[in-house]
Amino acid sequence: MIQKKYVVILSQAEQEMLEQLVKSGNAPARKLLRAWILLKSNASEDGPNWSYEQICQAYNVSEVTVYQVQKSYVEHGLEKAINRKKP
């Protein structure tokens, strides 16, 4: 089990943008999955702050995936966290 090292605290604007993205469903599956991971990881006052295990079970991803998305958000911001890396 990975220790929760990166704490995701989304601003209201970021949270609304991610919610709109997942509601529309008009994005690549990887981007939608990353948006869901960030929304469920949100440790702000009104965020769900799910554990790695809860996110892994809900979205059928590994703890490493959750860790990498959270790390990317904390270190590089929202756009880098949800968008695919350029080759």
Side-chain angles (χ1 to χ4, degrees), residues 26-40:
N26 290 336
R30 171 181 264 141
K31 187 172 187 173
L32 292 174
L33 178 62
R34 288 170 174 252
W36 276 119
I37 290 171
L38 289 173
L39 284 169
K40 296 305 180 183

Side-chain angles (χ1 to χ4, degrees), residues 68-82:
Q68 289 174 335
V69 171
Q70 291 176 347
K71 178 181 179 189
S72 182
Y73 172 78
V74 170
E75 292 182 349
H76 306 289
L78 183 62
E79 288 302 313
K80 284 248 190 198
I82 63 171

Side-chain angles (χ1 to χ4, degrees), residues 33-81:
L33 178 62
R34 288 170 174 252
W36 276 119
I37 290 171
L38 289 173
L39 284 169
K40 296 305 180 183
S41 299
N42 187 9
S44 66
E45 262 184 48
D46 56 346
N49 197 18
W50 282 15
S51 69
Y52 282 120
E53 293 81 21
Q54 289 172 303
I55 296 170
C56 292
Q57 288 177 351
Y59 300 105
N60 196 29
V61 295
S62 71
E63 288 183 2
V64 173
T65 300
V66 177
Y67 174 84
Q68 289 174 335
V69 171
Q70 291 176 347
K71 178 181 179 189
S72 182
Y73 172 78
V74 170
E75 292 182 349
H76 306 289
L78 183 62
E79 288 302 313
K80 284 248 190 198

